[in-house]
Amino acid sequence: GIIIMIVTRIEEADKSKVKIYVDGEYAFPFYQKDIGKYRLEEGKEISQEIYDTIMEETILYRAKEKAMSLLKFSDRTEAELRGKLKSAGFPDRIVSFVLDYVCSYGYINDERYAASYVNMKMESKSRAFIRMELLHRGIKKELIDKVLSEEYEKEEEDPEIKAIRKLVLKKYSDPDAISGEAANKLLAS
């Protein structure tokens, strides 16, 4: 049998958008202009087929568009993007689909996000502060611990090399510009 649903409410959200309720439950955000295309009216029946078409062709497309525009301006964590899409009114199923999509193309990568965040902050902030900030951004604890240990390990340079670098910097403001002769003198000392 054909499943029939009823558009129970079309609620104005703002000048161009509405919220569509189907069978008494909030279903999806919609543009005013889409209502005519699908001929939606309060109290009117819609088939499962039309509902699925709306979800696949319009809602999914809009959710991907929204995700890409959010990612264009700044890197986001999976949790941040999920929150933004949910607050824009997209249904969970669509949000999950869009997250799979952006992750599969590498547009979102919590490990990469965490590593670059740690690199940016490790000179000025404590490890505990960085961990708290990453947790707050919705990155999983195990991933944070992994990235922190990897990034801090890279930093742990031989103390002797650190000391030599300090001395060289004291004597020469630009260590790359040291002449061959001067470098040999330094190595001999």
Side-chain angles (χ1 to χ4, degrees):
I2 300 165
I3 299 170
I4 298 291
M5 295 177 272
I6 293 179
V7 177
T8 43
R9 195 154 123 233
I10 298 175
E11 179 186 296
E12 205 167 308
D14 59 39
K15 277 184 176 60
S16 62
K17 286 193 199 120
V18 293
K19 292 176 174 180
I20 302 290
Y21 291 79
V22 174
D23 291 343
E25 304 240 327
Y26 171 71
F28 45 79
F30 225 42
Y31 280 93
Q32 295 273 12
K33 61 181 183 209
D34 295 324
I35 292 175
K37 179 183 171 185
Y38 290 105
R39 295 197 282 283
L40 296 183
E41 291 169 33
E42 280 188 10
K44 196 176 172 198
E45 294 179 346
I46 58 167
S47 68
Q48 183 72 49
E49 193 182 346
I50 297 287
Y51 183 85
D52 291 343
T53 302
I54 290 171
M55 281 298 196
E56 283 156 33
E57 290 177 11
T58 303
I59 307 305
L60 183 58
Y61 174 77
R62 294 265 158 71
K64 279 183 185 176
E65 243 182 2
K66 175 84 174 162
M68 297 313 284
S69 79
L70 287 166
L71 293 169
K72 194 161 54 181
F73 301 109
S74 76
D75 230 358
R76 295 184 190 272
T77 65
E78 202 175 314
E80 286 171 331
L81 190 60
R82 180 181 298 278
K84 294 265 181 201
L85 291 173
K86 281 179 74 84
S87 69
F90 291 106
D92 290 344
R93 195 168 60 98
I94 295 286
V95 171
S96 295
F97 197 92
V98 170
L99 283 168
D100 289 346
Y101 170 81
V102 295
C103 289
S104 73
Y105 283 98
Y107 296 132
I108 256 191
N109 180 323
D110 281 359
E111 186 164 354
R112 183 183 63 214
Y113 181 100
S116 80
Y117 188 87
V118 170
N119 271 306
M120 221 168 50
K121 303 285 184 183
M122 67 195 304
E123 294 296 317
S124 59
K125 302 286 181 203
S126 73
R127 221 169 150 142
F129 176 85
I130 293 171
R131 169 183 273 114
M132 188 185 69
E133 282 291 294
L134 290 172
L135 280 169
H136 181 69
R137 284 174 166 76
I139 294 181
K140 291 177 180 71
K141 191 181 168 309
E142 302 72 38
L143 187 57
I144 295 171
D145 293 340
K146 175 182 184 253
V147 169
L148 279 171
S149 68
E150 283 171 4
E151 295 306 312
Y152 277 88
E153 232 166 71
K154 283 183 200 165
E155 278 300 295
E156 282 167 19
E157 188 175 35
D158 184 332
E160 217 168 90
I161 294 173
K162 254 189 183 160
I164 293 168
R165 180 172 286 117
K166 243 186 189 157
L167 285 171
V168 172
L169 283 169
K170 228 185 240 171
K171 203 165 184 178
Y172 302 93
S173 60
D174 181 8
D176 294 330
I178 300 172
S179 70
E181 204 176 303
N184 286 334
K185 266 189 197 163
L186 269 172
L187 289 170
S189 60

